[in-house]
mmCIF file of all heavy atoms in Angstrom:
data_model
loop_
_atom_site.group_PDB
_atom_site.id
_atom_site.type_symbol
_atom_site.label_atom_id
_atom_site.label_comp_id
_atom_site.label_asym_id
_atom_site.label_seq_id
_atom_site.Cartn_x
_atom_site.Cartn_y
_atom_site.Cartn_z
ATOM 1 N N GLU A 12 92.539 175.043 139.671
ATOM 2 C CA GLU A 12 91.349 174.565 138.949
ATOM 3 C C GLU A 12 91.699 173.934 137.625
ATOM 4 O O GLU A 12 91.190 172.871 137.285
ATOM 5 C CB GLU A 12 90.337 175.708 138.755
ATOM 6 C CG GLU A 12 89.685 176.172 140.025
ATOM 7 C CD GLU A 12 88.816 177.373 139.869
ATOM 8 O OE1 GLU A 12 88.991 178.137 138.899
ATOM 9 O OE2 GLU A 12 87.962 177.586 140.746
ATOM 10 N N ARG A 13 92.565 174.535 136.900
ATOM 11 C CA ARG A 13 93.033 174.052 135.567
ATOM 12 C C ARG A 13 93.702 172.673 135.750
ATOM 13 O O ARG A 13 93.440 171.726 135.015
ATOM 14 C CB ARG A 13 93.925 175.072 134.863
ATOM 15 C CG ARG A 13 94.278 174.644 133.475
ATOM 16 C CD ARG A 13 95.160 175.723 132.749
ATOM 17 N NE ARG A 13 96.359 176.065 133.514
ATOM 18 C CZ ARG A 13 96.577 177.241 134.073
ATOM 19 N NH1 ARG A 13 95.668 178.194 134.011
ATOM 20 N NH2 ARG A 13 97.721 177.466 134.733
ATOM 21 N N GLU A 14 94.643 172.602 136.707
ATOM 22 C CA GLU A 14 95.344 171.359 136.929
ATOM 23 C C GLU A 14 94.399 170.226 137.372
ATOM 24 O O GLU A 14 94.539 169.103 136.937
ATOM 25 C CB GLU A 14 96.484 171.528 137.924
ATOM 26 C CG GLU A 14 97.693 172.282 137.391
ATOM 27 C CD GLU A 14 98.784 172.399 138.425
ATOM 28 O OE1 GLU A 14 98.865 171.594 139.340
ATOM 29 O OE2 GLU A 14 99.606 173.340 138.225
ATOM 30 N N LEU A 15 93.501 170.593 138.270
ATOM 31 C CA LEU A 15 92.523 169.626 138.752
ATOM 32 C C LEU A 15 91.635 169.142 137.622
ATOM 33 O O LEU A 15 91.393 167.932 137.464
ATOM 34 C CB LEU A 15 91.667 170.244 139.840
ATOM 35 C CG LEU A 15 90.725 169.386 140.645
ATOM 36 C CD1 LEU A 15 91.432 168.193 141.239
ATOM 37 C CD2 LEU A 15 90.047 170.190 141.723
ATOM 38 N N PHE A 16 91.215 170.028 136.740
ATOM 39 C CA PHE A 16 90.396 169.710 135.558
ATOM 40 C C PHE A 16 91.163 168.709 134.660
ATOM 41 O O PHE A 16 90.645 167.673 134.250
ATOM 42 C CB PHE A 16 90.098 170.971 134.797
ATOM 43 C CG PHE A 16 89.213 170.787 133.567
ATOM 44 C CD1 PHE A 16 87.857 170.707 133.660
ATOM 45 C CD2 PHE A 16 89.818 170.678 132.308
ATOM 46 C CE1 PHE A 16 87.083 170.535 132.500
ATOM 47 C CE2 PHE A 16 89.066 170.546 131.194
ATOM 48 C CZ PHE A 16 87.677 170.456 131.287
ATOM 49 N N GLN A 17 92.437 168.951 134.437
ATOM 50 C CA GLN A 17 93.258 168.087 133.586
ATOM 51 C C GLN A 17 93.474 166.698 134.203
ATOM 52 O O GLN A 17 93.364 165.687 133.494
ATOM 53 C CB GLN A 17 94.601 168.727 133.268
ATOM 54 C CG GLN A 17 94.501 169.987 132.412
ATOM 55 C CD GLN A 17 95.743 170.760 132.295
ATOM 56 O OE1 GLN A 17 96.677 170.597 133.091
ATOM 57 N NE2 GLN A 17 95.790 171.689 131.326
ATOM 58 N N VAL A 18 93.758 166.639 135.506
ATOM 59 C CA VAL A 18 93.953 165.364 136.182
ATOM 60 C C VAL A 18 92.669 164.549 136.132
ATOM 61 O O VAL A 18 92.679 163.334 135.855
ATOM 62 C CB VAL A 18 94.410 165.611 137.659
ATOM 63 C CG1 VAL A 18 94.317 164.352 138.482
ATOM 64 C CG2 VAL A 18 95.812 166.179 137.689
ATOM 65 N N LEU A 19 91.545 165.153 136.425
ATOM 66 C CA LEU A 19 90.245 164.454 136.443
ATOM 67 C C LEU A 19 89.877 163.975 135.068
ATOM 68 O O LEU A 19 89.356 162.859 134.933
ATOM 69 C CB LEU A 19 89.154 165.324 137.085
ATOM 70 C CG LEU A 19 89.347 165.631 138.556
ATOM 71 C CD1 LEU A 19 88.348 166.683 139.001
ATOM 72 C CD2 LEU A 19 89.165 164.327 139.369
ATOM 73 N N ASN A 20 90.050 164.789 134.048
ATOM 74 C CA ASN A 20 89.752 164.374 132.686
ATOM 75 C C ASN A 20 90.593 163.195 132.263
ATOM 76 O O ASN A 20 90.113 162.244 131.619
ATOM 77 C CB ASN A 20 89.897 165.530 131.718
ATOM 78 C CG ASN A 20 88.612 166.263 131.499
ATOM 79 O OD1 ASN A 20 87.595 165.661 131.201
ATOM 80 N ND2 ASN A 20 88.654 167.585 131.586
ATOM 81 N N ALA A 21 91.893 163.257 132.571
ATOM 82 C CA ALA A 21 92.785 162.182 132.165
ATOM 83 C C ALA A 21 92.354 160.900 132.852
ATOM 84 O O ALA A 21 92.327 159.837 132.306
ATOM 85 C CB ALA A 21 94.224 162.539 132.525
ATOM 86 N N TYR A 22 92.032 160.976 134.147
ATOM 87 C CA TYR A 22 91.576 159.800 134.865
ATOM 88 C C TYR A 22 90.234 159.278 134.353
ATOM 89 O O TYR A 22 90.086 158.045 134.194
ATOM 90 C CB TYR A 22 91.455 160.082 136.359
ATOM 91 C CG TYR A 22 91.008 158.843 137.138
ATOM 92 C CD1 TYR A 22 91.863 157.800 137.339
ATOM 93 C CD2 TYR A 22 89.738 158.740 137.632
ATOM 94 C CE1 TYR A 22 91.515 156.676 138.005
ATOM 95 C CE2 TYR A 22 89.326 157.588 138.316
ATOM 96 C CZ TYR A 22 90.225 156.594 138.491
ATOM 97 O OH TYR A 22 89.792 155.426 139.140
ATOM 98 N N LEU A 23 89.319 160.142 133.999
ATOM 99 C CA LEU A 23 88.022 159.711 133.453
ATOM 100 C C LEU A 23 88.253 158.934 132.169
ATOM 101 O O LEU A 23 87.669 157.814 131.981
ATOM 102 C CB LEU A 23 87.171 160.932 133.140
ATOM 103 C CG LEU A 23 85.768 160.711 132.602
ATOM 104 C CD1 LEU A 23 84.906 159.948 133.657
ATOM 105 C CD2 LEU A 23 85.091 162.016 132.241
ATOM 106 N N VAL A 24 89.103 159.366 131.277
ATOM 107 C CA VAL A 24 89.415 158.654 130.076
ATOM 108 C C VAL A 24 90.117 157.329 130.321
ATOM 109 O O VAL A 24 89.770 156.280 129.789
ATOM 110 C CB VAL A 24 90.201 159.556 129.085
ATOM 111 C CG1 VAL A 24 90.708 158.779 127.893
ATOM 112 C CG2 VAL A 24 89.395 160.738 128.658
ATOM 113 N N GLN A 25 91.135 157.408 131.198
ATOM 114 C CA GLN A 25 91.951 156.202 131.468
ATOM 115 C C GLN A 25 91.132 155.135 132.189
ATOM 116 O O GLN A 25 91.202 153.971 131.854
ATOM 117 C CB GLN A 25 93.158 156.582 132.347
ATOM 118 C CG GLN A 25 93.988 155.409 132.756
ATOM 119 C CD GLN A 25 94.436 155.536 134.205
ATOM 120 O OE1 GLN A 25 94.295 156.545 134.876
ATOM 121 N NE2 GLN A 25 94.920 154.446 134.731
ATOM 122 N N ALA A 26 90.348 155.521 133.183
ATOM 123 C CA ALA A 26 89.624 154.531 134.002
ATOM 124 C C ALA A 26 88.388 153.979 133.345
ATOM 125 O O ALA A 26 88.034 152.835 133.566
ATOM 126 C CB ALA A 26 89.303 155.149 135.369
ATOM 127 N N PHE A 27 87.710 154.818 132.566
ATOM 128 C CA PHE A 27 86.425 154.426 132.004
ATOM 129 C C PHE A 27 86.366 154.258 130.515
ATOM 130 O O PHE A 27 85.608 153.454 130.015
ATOM 131 C CB PHE A 27 85.321 155.424 132.493
ATOM 132 C CG PHE A 27 85.159 155.458 133.940
ATOM 133 C CD1 PHE A 27 85.688 156.480 134.694
ATOM 134 C CD2 PHE A 27 84.461 154.482 134.614
ATOM 135 C CE1 PHE A 27 85.533 156.539 136.046
ATOM 136 C CE2 PHE A 27 84.290 154.520 135.971
ATOM 137 C CZ PHE A 27 84.821 155.557 136.700
#
Side-chain angles (χ1 to χ4, degrees):
E12 288 173 340
R13 184 177 57 248
E14 286 182 22
L15 189 54
F16 181 84
Q17 291 169 345
V18 167
L19 292 170
N20 266 312
Y22 180 72
L23 182 65
V24 170
Q25 176 222 349
F27 297 101

